[in-house]
């Protein structure tokens, strides 16, 4: 008669191999790109560079800057709200994920670049999909108070890049017009493997194990 322990070992090994071969569902949790780590002493602006990369996400522009820790233009006068901005008016900025992976952008915080302005201005974001189609959304930013304002995106799901253009001011860092700074980009990047098998795989695995156990029992009964 077949040793019951041998049957158990065979089933255990088969189970391990089957689980290892199961397909997994690709997903990733939301991440937030925050620029507080760029805070530096001073009351003027600080050069950041042409791009900033965090958690596999790159924000790029012509020349990126951030206000110093004691600048009156720092949103809410709080270093935790240190934000990024493109130095040059009319230049385009972009958000992309590593390897051109598709991502969903959920929200972004915007604030006027220069404190003390009045009124509102618009900022338009354009998302591009892998098939070259696009989607756009325009947000209206208040000049007062001088604080970050949260804006939610709709339909920017599985885009491969998001672009936006810096506004202008009245003179060189004079009165506020349409220029802005941004922070807290909330997005979800596709392509991270989860250890959660697909439901259909569980069904196939269960059916296979039932068959294996039945075959083992039949084999044992024939040798009695």
């Amino acid at each position: 008669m077949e040793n019951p322990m041998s049957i158990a070992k065979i089933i255990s090994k088969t189970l391990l191999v089957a689980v290892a071969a199961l397909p997994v569902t690709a997903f990733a949790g939301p991440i937030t790109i925050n620029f507080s780590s760029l805070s530096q002493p001073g009351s003027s602006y600080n050069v950041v560079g042409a791009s900033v990369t965090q958690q596999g996400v790159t924000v790029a522009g012509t020349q990126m800057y951030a206000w110093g820790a004691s600048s009156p233009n720092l949103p809410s006068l709080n270093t935790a709200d240190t934000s990024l901005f493109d130095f040059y008016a009319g230049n385009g900025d972009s958000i992309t994920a590593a390897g051109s992976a598709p991502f969903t952008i959920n929200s972004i915080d915007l604030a006027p670049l220069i404190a003390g302005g009045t009124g509102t201005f618009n900022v338009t974001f354009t998302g591009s999909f892998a098939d070259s189609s696009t989607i756009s959304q325009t947000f209206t930013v208040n000049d007062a108070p001088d604080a970050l304002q949260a804006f939610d995106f709709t339909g920017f799901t599985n885009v491969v890049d998001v672009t936006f253009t810096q506004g202008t001011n009245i003179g060189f860092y004079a009165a506020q017009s349409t220029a802005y700074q941004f922070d807290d980009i909330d997005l979800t990047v596709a392509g991270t493997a989860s250890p959660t098998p697909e439901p259909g795989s569980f069904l196939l695995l269960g059916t296979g194990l039932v068959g294996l156990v039945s075959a083992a029992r039949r084999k044992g009964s024939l040798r009695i």
Side-chain angles (χ1 to χ4, degrees), residues 182-207:
F182 55 92
D183 193 24
D184 294 331
I185 306 169
D186 184 272
L187 45 78
T188 304
V189 180
T192 300
S194 157
T196 306
E198 298 173 356
S201 301
F202 274 126
L203 179 60
L204 291 174
L205 177 60
T207 303

Side-chain angles (χ1 to χ4, degrees), residues 2-11:
E2 185 77 16
N3 187 338
M5 289 300 294
S6 298
I7 297 175
K9 288 181 179 179
I10 293 172
I11 293 175

Side-chain angles (χ1 to χ4, degrees), residues 57-81:
V57 176
T58 298
V59 180
T62 305
Q63 187 66 278
M64 312 302 287
Y65 285 71
W67 289 116
S70 56
S71 170
N73 298 313
L74 179 67
S76 301
L77 302 179
N78 187 347
T79 56
D81 290 341

Side-chain angles (χ1 to χ4, degrees), residues 157-202:
T157 303
N158 290 328
V159 294
V160 292
D161 72 62
V162 173
T163 57
F164 44 105
T165 301
Q166 177 61 297
T168 60
N169 284 312
I170 303 172
F172 185 74
Y173 288 123
Q176 169 65 19
S177 181
T178 60
Y180 57 90
Q181 49 192 318
F182 55 92
D183 193 24
D184 294 331
I185 306 169
D186 184 272
L187 45 78
T188 304
V189 180
T192 300
S194 157
T196 306
E198 298 173 356
S201 301
F202 274 126

